[in-house]
Amino acid sequence: MTTDQRPRPAVEPVPGDVRSAMSGGGVWLDLGLLTVRVRSTVPELAAPLCSVYPGMVEIDPRDWADLHVELAEGAGPRRWLRRQSRFTCDGERPFEPFPADHALPLFEWGTNWVLARRMNDVLLLHAGVLERDGLALVMPALPGSGKSTLTAALSLRGWRLLSDEFGAFDPQTNQFRAVLKPVALKNRSIEVIRAFEPTAVLGPEFAKTRKGTVAHLAPSAAAVALRGVPASPGAVVFPRWQSGSATQWLPARPKVVFTTLAFNAFNYAAMGASGFQAVVRLTRRCPAWQLIYSDLDDALHTLERAWPEVRERALSESAP
Amino acid sequence: MRVEALAGDGGDEWVAFSALSGETHLINETSAAIVDLLDEEVPASIDSIVDRIVGETGLPHDEVRLLLADAWELLLHGGLIRAVTVTDHHGPAP
């Protein structure tokens, strides 16, 4: 895996150029931890891709890409009645075709699927990760947790987004690395985030997907600019959205932290002893809490109030 | 077998990982002490383990034996230890 340190072009490619490049040699997306080469003959992909990966789509060929993915239009006579897009990576086609105008969700889910299975030199937690003060806030994804909503909200209030899906912990450096992709918001979360921050840059809404309506929140310019910069472990927070609940901030026991991190990792078993030791280190290093909330603003204030303790603890542990 | 405490200051929450099976187990401090005492290559009798813990902690013999009584089944069931028949002092039966 590489992070290309070449200077970025000052002018972003326009969707027309991206469309043209994708139908030929492809475009390159530098996500921080890895680079993805994208080729596509589906014209509907270019515009939304540019809108939710601002400053990240490159037309100039790179020497290396970690993943090579392709979206192609469906074949056969049915394509004249209902155009489709198919996701392929190295001959694998993990999903049934999507309608052509749902090319972006297909690209996102397809890429996530491949990433989760192949990135085995880092511990890949299923978690949202944001950075402040050089420290990572890790929020493992439990069903119905509201993790993406909280991740999106924090990213709109100055926390640097590293990833909404992949907490990529490098056991060699003991740091989290960015896997920077847009935050996938689903159903009611879309309106929650629009109301929370009216200036938020969201891509188009895609209705009637397998997860309902989805829209993608673009990462901030700062998150894009710093995607090559890692973050040290800071804190683990298990968010749980609960309708009508007052905000609760409860310490989490180490065994709960360990089991949740391990069982939420895509590749814990595949990494063997290295994954075990990585989760042990995270459990020891990070203070952890459960955050139960229904009011997004109040949840953010609670996190903000707790953060100095995280910072102080990290400072005291790094002191000689 | 790797055994680690989950809290920096020890505590009663430990985890054990078997590289052979790839399995991870949450264990308590007593079980962690037993696994730590065992050598992966050479079997040990219950009496010898009890004697070693008595020697290291100074606790009464009967108390240690009682303390360990619940741990054996859990450790065996989890595959963290296994019972062997010792034919001589050099190692387990084939």
Side-chain angles (χ1 to χ4, degrees):
Chain A
M1 286 175 282
T2 59
T3 300
D4 195 326
Q5 299 300 318
R6 292 178 303 175
R8 299 284 167 263
V11 180
E12 270 198 62
V14 296
D17 293 341
V18 170
R19 191 179 303 124
S20 170
M22 283 200 295
S23 64
V27 299
W28 277 255
L29 289 174
D30 176 353
L31 308 182
L33 175 67
L34 73 158
T35 300
V36 184
R37 180 190 184 196
V38 190
R39 293 193 297 160
S40 171
T41 56
V42 183
E44 285 88 344
L45 180 62
L49 191 78
C50 290
S51 71
V52 300
Y53 284 91
M56 296 175 72
V57 181
E58 295 173 33
I59 287 178
D60 292 339
R62 288 190 169 204
D63 296 334
W64 172 262
D66 300 276
L67 298 180
H68 297 253
V69 305
E70 184 172 0
L71 265 74
E73 292 218 43
R78 192 160 180 264
R79 71 182 187 275
W80 303 114
L81 302 171
R82 189 174 176 215
R83 293 177 51 246
Q84 293 183 320
S85 56
R86 296 168 183 267
F87 177 93
T88 311
C89 181
D90 294 338
E92 278 190 286
R93 191 175 288 164
F95 299 112
E96 292 298 311
F98 278 32
D101 58 3
H102 282 193
L104 181 68
L106 178 60
F107 168 75
E108 286 297 302
W109 285 324
T111 310
N112 287 350
W113 188 88
V114 176
L115 258 165
R117 280 156 184 77
R118 297 203 183 166
M119 297 291 111
N120 287 330
D121 53 352
V122 293
L123 178 70
L124 213 52
L125 306 171
H126 189 197
V129 183
L130 301 111
E131 178 268 345
R132 175 173 281 186
D133 305 317
L135 299 170
L137 165 64
V138 182
M139 298 195 293
L142 303 173
S145 65
K147 177 261 301 174
S148 290
T149 312
L150 195 56
T151 300
L154 286 164
S155 77
L156 292 164
R157 291 290 183 268
W159 295 68
R160 174 167 70 97
L161 177 69
L162 272 74
S163 182
D164 174 44
E165 286 290 330
F166 300 108
F169 182 67
D170 186 338
Q172 304 296 320
T173 62
N174 286 327
Q175 294 200 303
F176 281 93
R177 298 182 62 187
V179 183
L180 191 62
K181 300 173 95 257
V183 179
L185 298 169
K186 294 175 275 295
N187 303 313
R188 190 169 166 271
S189 295
I190 300 167
E191 282 316 307
V192 169
I193 290 300
R194 283 194 203 282
F196 178 79
E197 181 50 70
T199 64
V201 179
L202 269 73
E205 288 189 18
F206 299 94
K208 296 181 180 174
T209 75
R210 59 184 186 157
K211 293 187 178 179
T213 301
V214 295
H216 301 84
L217 173 70
S220 69
V224 172
L226 297 173
R227 65 196 187 277
V229 178
S232 297
V236 174
V237 170
F238 303 109
R240 182 152 65 91
W241 186 86
Q242 192 169 289
S243 177
S245 171
T247 303
Q248 298 176 60
W249 182 250
L250 309 167
R253 291 183 62 177
K255 72 176 181 185
V256 173
V257 179
F258 180 92
T259 50
T260 309
L261 291 178
F263 298 144
N264 264 282
F266 293 102
N267 58 356
Y268 176 78
M271 288 191 73
S274 167
F276 170 75
Q277 295 289 9
V279 179
V280 167
R281 285 200 296 277
L282 285 174
T283 305
R284 284 184 186 161
R285 172 80 183 261
C286 295
W289 294 273
Q290 184 176 29
L291 172 60
I292 302 170
Y293 73 100
S294 60
D295 183 316
L296 196 52
D297 284 304
D298 198 41
L300 261 64
H301 290 146
T302 302
L303 266 166
E304 297 278 0
R305 279 196 300 272
W307 195 250
E309 179 187 336
V310 174
R311 192 172 52 225
E312 291 306 314
R313 177 169 163 158
L315 277 173
S316 68
E317 289 194 356
S318 63
Chain B
M1 182 73 65
R2 293 165 187 262
V3 180
E4 299 281 358
L6 286 179
D9 56 356
D12 197 35
E13 295 179 350
W14 294 67
V15 278
F17 176 78
S18 165
L20 198 62
S21 68
E23 290 186 350
T24 304
H25 300 268
L26 286 168
I27 57 177
N28 62 17
E29 194 176 9
T30 307
S31 299
I34 294 170
V35 177
D36 257 354
L37 281 175
L38 291 174
D39 185 313
E40 289 192 17
E41 305 297 329
V42 183
S45 68
I46 290 177
D47 286 340
S48 70
I49 293 169
V50 170
D51 288 345
R52 285 183 65 184
I53 292 178
V54 167
E56 289 189 16
T57 63
L59 290 170
H61 201 274
D62 289 346
E63 191 177 323
V64 171
R65 188 171 282 278
L66 196 64
L67 199 63
L68 300 188
D70 292 336
W72 301 120
E73 196 177 337
L74 289 172
L75 289 168
L76 281 165
H77 183 72
L80 296 172
I81 61 173
R82 65 190 171 100
V84 293
T85 304
V86 179
T87 53
D88 56 43
H89 66 280
H90 294 301

